């Protein structure tokens, strides 16, 4: 009765969104809640009101934190609305929106316009220096779900440039992104990528076990599509 009253109540929209954000972060609550349609109605109506968008997106974030919530978002068209908001840049704080994208990708949801989202995140990489690791983390999750969703020129122009930084985490995430790509996307740049990896593995300051593993995953990914025997012989990669 209390939940029914909360759903049907007029006004106090922000407070009601906050309450359901707390409750919906628990998978058991979402499993047992009979009137999920009432919560979704509150959520969807709030997404169209500028003053409530931030709170509504946090509710989506709570739902995306577990598999039942992701299924609810997927089955009721909320992901499509969220995608439209994300692409219009009116989707609240980037930390929450990118957490949602990572969560729904890892849950195997069908993300509408995923290629366009990836392209937008690539552009953000060029201007958001302090958020590059977070953006790359999100890109890895999306491309692991849809390996062909990334453009070759973005990989060459933006991601490959991260190998020139001194930040090991940026380099690690960039390698993980290349390892997640469909090898066909890399057909014109894979020799350049292999050369960059070889140079990288010759730098003692970058020989973290995680970076070595990620580099080998990229090589393995490429070997599924291209003959790398000359590269392996010249670099003595097997010996390394």
């Amino acid at each position: 009765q209390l939940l029914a009253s909360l759903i049907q109540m007029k006004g106090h929209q922000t407070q009601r969104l906050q309450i359901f954000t707390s409750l919906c972060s628990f998978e058991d609550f979402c499993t047992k809640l009979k009137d999920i349609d009432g919560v979704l109605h509150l959520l969807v109506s709030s997404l169209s009101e500028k003053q409530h968008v931030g709170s509504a997106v946090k509710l989506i974030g709570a739902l995306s934190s577990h598999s039942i919530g992701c299924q609810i978002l997927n089955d009721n068209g909320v992901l499509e609305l969220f995608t439209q908001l994300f692409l219009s840049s009116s989707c609240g704080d980037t930390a929450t929106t990118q957490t949602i994208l990572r969560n729904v990708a890892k849950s195997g949801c069908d993300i509408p316009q995923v290629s366009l989202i990836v392209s937008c995140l690539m552009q953000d990489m060029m201007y958001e220096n302090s958020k590059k690791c977070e953006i790359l983390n999100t890109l890895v999750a999306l491309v692991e779900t849809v390996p062909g969703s990334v453009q070759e020129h973005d990989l060459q122009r933006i991601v490959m440039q991260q190998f020139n930084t001194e930040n090991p985490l940026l380099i690690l995430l960039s390698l993980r992104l290349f390892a997640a790509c469909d090898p066909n996307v890399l057909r014109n740049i894979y020799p350049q990528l292999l050369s960059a990896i070889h140079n990288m593995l010759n730098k003692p300051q970058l020989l973290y076990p995680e970076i070595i593993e990620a580099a080998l995953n990229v090589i393995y990914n490429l070997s599924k599509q291209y003959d790398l025997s000359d590269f392996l012989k010249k670099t003595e990669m097997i010996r390394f």
Side-chain angles (χ1 to χ4, degrees), residues 117-171:
I117 291 174
V118 167
S119 183
C120 289
L121 289 171
M122 284 289 187
Q123 296 310 306
D124 290 343
M125 279 277 294
M126 297 176 68
Y127 306 108
E128 301 279 0
N129 283 328
S130 63
K131 297 177 181 176
K132 279 185 177 180
C133 288
E134 183 182 25
I135 294 169
L136 270 172
N137 210 8
T138 304
L139 283 166
V140 170
L142 293 171
V143 175
E144 281 179 344
T145 306
V146 187
S149 60
V150 63
Q151 298 293 317
E152 184 182 65
H153 69 272
D154 284 337
L155 291 168
Q156 183 178 28
R157 186 170 53 100
I158 300 168
V159 181
M160 207 174 283
Q161 300 309 310
Q162 307 314 310
F163 294 152
N164 300 323
T165 70
E166 296 181 358
N167 185 336
L169 183 55
L170 266 180
I171 292 170

Side-chain angles (χ1 to χ4, degrees), residues 37-217:
D37 289 343
V39 176
L40 291 174
H41 177 74
L42 171 65
L43 170 58
V44 171
S45 62
S46 301
L47 286 172
S48 61
E49 299 173 19
K50 189 175 181 180
Q51 69 271 31
H52 297 306
V53 167
S55 298
V57 168
K58 286 177 181 173
L59 175 50
I60 295 175
L63 285 164
S64 77
S65 65
H66 47 77
S67 59
I68 294 295
C70 284
Q71 187 177 341
I72 289 169
L73 295 172
N74 198 47
D75 293 348
N76 291 279
V78 179
L79 282 184
E80 192 164 342
L81 292 173
F82 170 75
T83 298
Q84 290 170 6
L85 274 173
F86 179 85
L87 293 173
S88 67
S89 302
S90 56
C91 208
D93 68 288
T94 57
T96 303
T97 57
Q98 293 203 39
T99 298
I100 293 167
L101 288 171
R102 289 194 294 270
N103 287 345
V104 296
K106 288 172 183 176
S107 288
C109 294
D110 293 325
I111 304 172
Q113 303 186 75
V114 63
S115 295
L116 192 51
I117 291 174
V118 167
S119 183
C120 289
L121 289 171
M122 284 289 187
Q123 296 310 306
D124 290 343
M125 279 277 294
M126 297 176 68
Y127 306 108
E128 301 279 0
N129 283 328
S130 63
K131 297 177 181 176
K132 279 185 177 180
C133 288
E134 183 182 25
I135 294 169
L136 270 172
N137 210 8
T138 304
L139 283 166
V140 170
L142 293 171
V143 175
E144 281 179 344
T145 306
V146 187
S149 60
V150 63
Q151 298 293 317
E152 184 182 65
H153 69 272
D154 284 337
L155 291 168
Q156 183 178 28
R157 186 170 53 100
I158 300 168
V159 181
M160 207 174 283
Q161 300 309 310
Q162 307 314 310
F163 294 152
N164 300 323
T165 70
E166 296 181 358
N167 185 336
L169 183 55
L170 266 180
I171 292 170
L172 173 63
L173 291 170
S174 299
L175 287 168
R176 285 180 178 169
L177 180 57
F178 279 112
C181 292
D182 182 338
N184 287 312
V185 174
L186 306 171
R187 61 185 173 276
N188 294 317
I189 62 170
Y190 82 88
Q192 185 182 349
L193 176 57
L194 289 172
S195 177
I197 289 173
H198 183 226
N199 292 335
M200 192 185 308
L201 295 178
N202 277 317
K203 296 178 181 177
Q205 68 271 28
L206 292 179
L207 293 184
Y208 292 91
E210 296 88 348
I211 287 180
I212 296 171
E213 181 184 28
L216 293 176
N217 284 337

